Amino acid sequence: MGLKERRQRERGQRREQILDAARALLFEKGLHATSINQIAKKAELGVGTIYFYYKSKEEIFADLQEEGLELLFSRIFKICDMDLAADEKLREIGLQYRRFSEENRDYYDIINYFLASPGIFFAPNLKNKIDRHGSWIIGLIVETINSGTRDGLFQSLNPRRDAVTFLGTLHGLTQFRKLRDTVLAGDSHKEIISHAVDHFINGLRDRMS
Amino acid sequence: MGLKERRQRERGQRREQILDAARALLFEKGLHATSINQIAKKAELGVGTIYFYYKSKEEIFADLQEEGLELLFSRIFKICDMDLAADEKLREIGLQYRRFSEENRDYYDIINYFLASPGIFFAPNLKNKIDRHGSWIIGLIVETINSGTRDGLFQSLNPRRDAVTFLGTLHGLTQFRKLRDTVLAGDSHKEIISHAVDHFINGLRDRMS
Amino acid sequence: MGLKERRQRERGQRREQILDAARALLFEKGLHATSINQIAKKAELGVGTIYFYYKSKEEIFADLQEEGLELLFSRIFKICDMDLAADEKLREIGLQYRRFSEENRDYYDIINYFLASPGIFFAPNLKNKIDRHGSWIIGLIVETINSGTRDGLFQSLNPRRDAVTFLGTLHGLTQFRKLRDTVLAGDSHKEIISHAVDHFINGLRDRMS
Amino acid sequence: MGLKERRQRERGQRREQILDAARALLFEKGLHATSINQIAKKAELGVGTIYFYYKSKEEIFADLQEEGLELLFSRIFKICDMDLAADEKLREIGLQYRRFSEENRDYYDIINYFLASPGIFFAPNLKNKIDRHGSWIIGLIVETINSGTRDGLFQSLNPRRDAVTFLGTLHGLTQFRKLRDTVLAGDSHKEIISHAVDHFINGLRDRMS
DNA sequence: GATGAATGAGCCTTCATTCAT
DNA sequence: GATGAATGAAGGCTCATTCAT
């Protein structure tokens, strides 16, 4: 009876083993330069074994992306769980988003990669899993904005759109990081993000439209 | 001296010829599926000739990216040249940015590609050319914000940062387009952008900080 | 003793189960595209189990080939069992052979595959089983020719060789089916076969040699 | 001016070099076991080079098949060019066909392979070249039958169909070679072919139908 | 200046077979 | 008897880049 269970467990372990190898390579050489053969070699498995556990290269990276989203989610979740004013929470989320993009740059890159790649689409079920995480994160921000509204700090007529705007701003500015010396005129990413969060909060405060 | 000039002119013509082929293929088959051999065939040149005029595949695409930035710049420039209130201008810029990302999707993709790719860095001279275009665009927005401040519409303490925030928001939200059915909960890209622009303007209006 | 029998029966059932799956896949996806793993999945058995009952992939297909030969045999047997003149029987055999190659194209293909493949030889016991069926079919034709001779319709000095010639002609012309538009100059397979059968019968009629 | 010509010549030489390697491997290990990588290694060329000269594996084998058909054609052509009675010519063609299938077994196999393989179709231009050779061979036989008719030896109402029947018989019987010990009951391939040719000629002689 | 033949590492994927459980 | 995870060689094929002419 233990057989099936053990199989299950081992199956999970193998997938983890593969993921470990894929993650390491991804972080070392970038997404484009990571091939199944390399993953197999690093994981000390036959190529065929990889294909036994994952149907395609994409599936592996989808798992990795999910890991990243989970990490980002948990960072933000912790903030929302704290006893802070809503505006403070938004500031903290901006901070943590930036830190995630720096400290977990590799995860950030992979998330970003799929978001930015025009031609890459996942199979529906993969996409669902991924999108769900994104929705959860938006949900946390929506809830923060709502609590701010309840406390009289904000006036949001459409918290969902505001949340998306907020996340979009963070995301877009993070993309500009490469341009620090030119477009950003020397402003650090940190300063820009902080500025943008303040601006966003300000826009939320006394809205009339 | 006529010799040198002719050389220069011919050189430019050849590059244009190559660019034409690369652009056509890029738009037809996408970034990933376009190979140097195909470009050579389409341009009716030998592969070696391509390499004489461009050091690498990336250099070609950098030129195309520049084209794209020029296009975006001119869209925005036209707005700034109009006789409109500053807030109207920002709204119009948001609109045109979105339209650019849709109508010139191929150019947008290539700009985005280089911005999002973690591992790709240009040789300094390429980077300069590209960044200069980005700076110009930021400059236009800065000027718009400044004119709004002069007209008493806005109160911007740091127009440059505000401009970057604005562009970052537009850029980030455009990246989310893929998520319409899930994260965006059915909101169209147009609605979200419009909402975000209003929010941005609102934040600019009665700022105290 | 019931034990041994049951073992035998179960053994037969398993083989049938495997054959069912292999046949279905063969007919659906073709010979080349059918793999043992697929057969195992379709048969709801482990791959190892397949290998317990069949030593190799080829052995499975040999069994299927036998099925095909049996089918062809029974088509011809029915004709020989009828109350017809010998020449009519030959005509009918030609007809049925052609129909077999069309209506049971998958079986025909697999028979043909092994016949045409230069490098594939079966283990002796497999070969025997297969050849036996072939011999039976030849036997039926021999018997038909003999009855024609007895009835004064034919004059065959070597009925066995004539039978082989007959079958060889049918087989060879069926191979030419692909060439209808060119070599056959538009003649349908049906017309060609019919012509050849008539020719064969004619050659059988007034032979002096 | 000599450049283009030399290029042409070299191009032909390279193709020959590739063909030599492919032919050698084909004859040594069989069709199915011959891969592009092996051909490249044997030809002492890079894999890419093979693909520069041939679009696919199929194209190479099509060339080889053409070689084979040419060989068969020339064997038969020589006979038709001789000063023989038509029936003698047919006997000689049967003989040569058999010898071709034995002495040039590898070429025969490759011709046969494509004829027998259900799933393999060539690109139209390849198919044309191949079919043309087949038609030429049929043409030779048609001409032989016609000359026999003119000489009063035969009575053929449809020489083309008779020619196809003749070739089909030879082809089909050659396929049966594998079955010598069983179906053929010990008759040699030679005897069977000879018998069949006589039968065919006999059928051609006093036809009434 | 222009050419295009040549490269070969590397890509993703398949599959018959084995063997410990 | 039955399982199915593991293998890894091999498959066809692509492509940026070089270099002798």
Side-chain angles (χ1 to χ4, degrees), chain A residues 148-181:
Chain A
T149 303
R150 280 194 302 272
D151 297 350
L153 289 167
F154 305 148
Q155 239 188 328
S156 173
L157 298 177
N158 193 329
R160 182 159 201 102
R161 284 190 188 170
D162 284 327
V164 171
T165 300
F166 184 64
L167 207 59
T169 302
L170 295 178
H171 189 74
L173 288 173
T174 304
Q175 306 265 43
F176 287 176
R177 196 165 30 188
K178 257 190 183 176
L179 314 172
R180 193 181 50 230
D181 298 329

Side-chain angles (χ1 to χ4, degrees), chain C residues 23 27 33 43 61 79 82 103 107 133 150 153 193 195:
Chain C
R23 198 187 307 111
F27 289 4
F61 288 125
I79 297 163
M82 289 162 74
E103 293 169 8
Y107 277 124
H133 279 84
R150 280 194 301 272
L153 287 168
I193 290 279
H195 178 93

Side-chain angles (χ1 to χ4, degrees), chain A residues 8 10 24 33 42 59 77 83 96 109 115 119 138 141 143 171 173 188:
Chain A
Q8 281 267 327
E10 279 174 357
K42 186 126 199 165
E59 250 189 13
F77 183 79
D83 189 23
Q96 288 296 330
D109 281 349
L115 210 51
I138 288 289
I141 299 171
E143 185 43 46
H171 189 74
L173 288 173
S188 75

Side-chain angles (χ1 to χ4, degrees), chain A residues 29-45:
Chain A
K29 326 175 69 172
L31 189 76
H32 204 73
T34 297
S35 76
I36 291 273
N37 281 281
Q38 289 170 332
I39 294 173
K41 196 167 286 174
K42 186 126 199 165
E44 292 178 315
L45 292 170

Side-chain angles (χ1 to χ4, degrees), chain A:
Chain A
M1 72 216 100
L3 192 80
K4 258 188 196 165
E5 284 171 19
R6 196 162 52 112
R7 280 265 160 86
Q8 281 267 327
R9 219 180 319 128
E10 279 174 357
R11 204 177 167 84
Q13 280 168 8
R14 272 275 183 275
R15 282 179 76 104
E16 204 54 56
Q17 183 182 357
I18 292 167
L19 243 33
D20 287 344
R23 201 186 303 113
L25 283 167
L26 177 73
F27 292 0
E28 182 190 335
K29 326 175 69 172
L31 189 76
H32 204 73
T34 297
S35 76
I36 291 273
N37 281 281
Q38 289 170 332
I39 294 173
K41 196 167 286 174
K42 186 126 199 165
E44 292 178 315
L45 292 170
V47 224
T49 311
I50 307 286
Y51 277 93
F52 185 80
Y53 288 97
Y54 284 97
K55 223 179 222 161
S56 72
K57 204 184 164 185
E58 255 178 16
E59 250 189 13
I60 299 177
F61 288 128
D63 262 17
L64 249 27
Q65 194 187 18
E66 228 189 319
E67 283 186 12
L69 286 166
E70 221 141 309
L71 225 61
L72 177 58
F73 175 80
S74 81
R75 271 185 192 261
I76 295 175
F77 183 79
K78 272 179 201 149
I79 296 163
C80 296
D81 216 31
M82 288 163 74
D83 189 23
L84 283 175
D87 55 345
E88 283 308 312
K89 280 187 182 173
L90 289 182
R91 279 197 187 86
E92 197 61 29
I93 289 172
L95 194 79
Q96 288 296 330
Y97 190 94
R98 184 178 58 74
R99 287 181 62 181
F100 173 74
S101 79
E102 278 168 11
E103 293 169 8
N104 301 97
R105 177 187 273 267
D106 300 297
Y107 277 124
Y108 184 79
D109 281 349
I110 199 174
I111 292 169
N112 199 34
Y113 175 79
F114 289 112
L115 210 51
S117 296
I120 298 190
F121 292 104
F122 290 115
N125 60 330
L126 293 180
K127 189 166 163 23
N128 280 349
K129 282 205 306 183
I130 291 165
D131 286 355
R132 209 176 314 136
H133 281 84
S135 295
W136 286 342
I137 291 171
I138 288 289
L140 289 177
I141 299 171
V142 167
E143 185 43 46
T144 303
I145 291 174
N146 280 339
S147 82
T149 303
R150 280 194 302 272
D151 297 350
L153 289 167
F154 305 148
Q155 239 188 328
S156 173
L157 298 177
N158 193 329
R160 182 159 201 102
R161 284 190 188 170
D162 284 327
V164 171
T165 300
F166 184 64
L167 207 59
T169 302
L170 295 178
H171 189 74
L173 288 173
T174 304
Q175 306 265 43
F176 287 176
R177 196 165 30 188
K178 257 190 183 176
L179 314 172
R180 193 181 50 230
D181 298 329
T182 53
V183 175
L184 302 196
D187 279 4
S188 75
H189 187 214
K190 184 174 178 179
E191 289 167 317
I192 284 287
I193 290 280
S194 165
H195 178 93
V197 171
D198 284 342
H199 190 139
F200 176 82
I201 291 171
N202 202 51
L204 216 48
R205 228 171 287 210
D206 328 281
R207 171 170 289 181
M208 323 261 114
S209 65

Side-chain angles (χ1 to χ4, degrees), chain D residues 124-190:
Chain D
N125 61 327
L126 292 181
K127 190 167 164 19
N128 280 348
K129 282 206 306 183
I130 292 166
D131 286 357
R132 208 175 316 138
H133 280 85
S135 295
W136 287 343
I137 292 172
I138 288 289
L140 289 176
I141 299 172
V142 167
E143 184 45 43
T144 303
I145 292 175
N146 280 338
S147 82
T149 304
R150 281 196 299 271
D151 296 349
L153 289 167
F154 305 149
Q155 241 187 327
S156 173
L157 299 176
N158 192 330
R160 181 160 202 101
R161 284 192 188 167
D162 284 328
V164 171
T165 300
F166 184 64
L167 207 58
T169 303
L170 294 179
H171 189 74
L173 288 174
T174 304
Q175 305 266 44
F176 288 176
R177 196 168 30 189
K178 258 190 182 174
L179 315 173
R180 192 180 53 229
D181 299 329
T182 53
V183 175
L184 302 194
D187 278 5
S188 75
H189 186 214
K190 185 175 176 176

